Amino acid sequence: MDPRTEILHLPAGYRNQEQTVTLAWPEVLARLAAAPSYWLATVRADGRPHVVPVGGVWLDDALHFGGSLETVHERNLRRSGLAAVHLDDAASAVIAEGRAVRVHPAAEQARRLADATRAKYGLDSGPDTYAQGCWSLTPSRAIAWTALATDATRFTWDGR
């Protein structure tokens, strides 16, 4: 599903001209898919944020990732599912927000996730790793830019 795309309106001090350019979601998604890792932000039970780098693969419009069930981010996600991910590059940023859900992909999707992991990281964990369960974060909102004052863009998906 394609998102609604609009100019991300910035405070006056962040720009020196009127922005007229927006980014295209397929180009932003390609940057997300190519990223070697992601900063994952979750919310602790007491409301404090928790941020950790994770590896993952984008497939079917969602970031799929895992981790030990004993980690803080896993506990946070099991409790609320609210999460955001962003790339390392602040000058050319991508930030996606949404809800992560624990999924047990069917055989075909598990195979595609394993193939994507092998292609991206050279790891051959096999489809069973994904079939046993992973997190799937589907963005409901995202912001991105390649030059903040020129092309800052907000993406939103209705119904997510």
Side-chain angles (χ1 to χ4, degrees), residues 7-23 31 90-95 143-154:
I7 291 171
L8 177 63
H9 295 286
L10 302 170
Y14 286 84
R15 64 175 67 228
N16 58 12
Q17 61 189 19
E18 187 59 34
Q19 178 182 337
T20 59
V21 176
T22 57
L23 299 173
R31 289 169 51 202
S92 184
V94 179
I95 304 160
I143 59 173
W145 59 82
T146 60
L148 180 63
T150 304
D151 61 9
T153 305
R154 174 183 290 119

Side-chain angles (χ1 to χ4, degrees), residues 5-137:
T5 303
E6 61 187 329
I7 291 171
L8 177 63
H9 295 286
L10 302 170
Y14 286 84
R15 64 175 67 228
N16 58 12
Q17 61 189 19
E18 187 59 34
Q19 178 182 337
T20 59
V21 176
T22 57
L23 299 173
W25 178 246
E27 295 167 10
V28 173
L29 182 57
R31 289 169 51 202
L32 283 165
S37 62
Y38 309 88
W39 285 98
L40 172 70
T42 60
V43 182
R44 297 174 192 260
D46 63 5
R48 290 179 299 138
H50 173 70
V51 180
V52 63
V54 297
V57 293
W58 283 86
L59 185 71
D60 300 332
D61 295 324
L63 175 64
H64 300 272
F65 60 95
S68 168
L69 295 176
E70 299 173 20
T71 63
V72 173
H73 74 274
E74 288 272 342
R75 291 193 307 267
N76 293 344
L77 290 172
R78 284 194 304 271
R79 194 187 64 266
S80 78
L82 296 175
V85 293
H86 69 85
L87 304 184
D88 279 337
D89 188 350
S92 184
V94 179
I95 304 160
E97 304 171 352
R99 182 171 295 277
V101 295
R102 187 84 178 162
V103 297
H104 297 272
E108 172 61 20
Q109 187 181 30
R111 182 194 58 73
R112 292 187 307 125
L113 286 164
D115 290 348
T117 300
R118 185 173 34 263
K120 185 172 184 177
Y121 296 109
L123 301 174
D124 193 10
S125 54
D128 288 346
T129 300
Y130 284 100
Q132 292 172 17
C134 66
W135 290 99
S136 177
L137 173 61

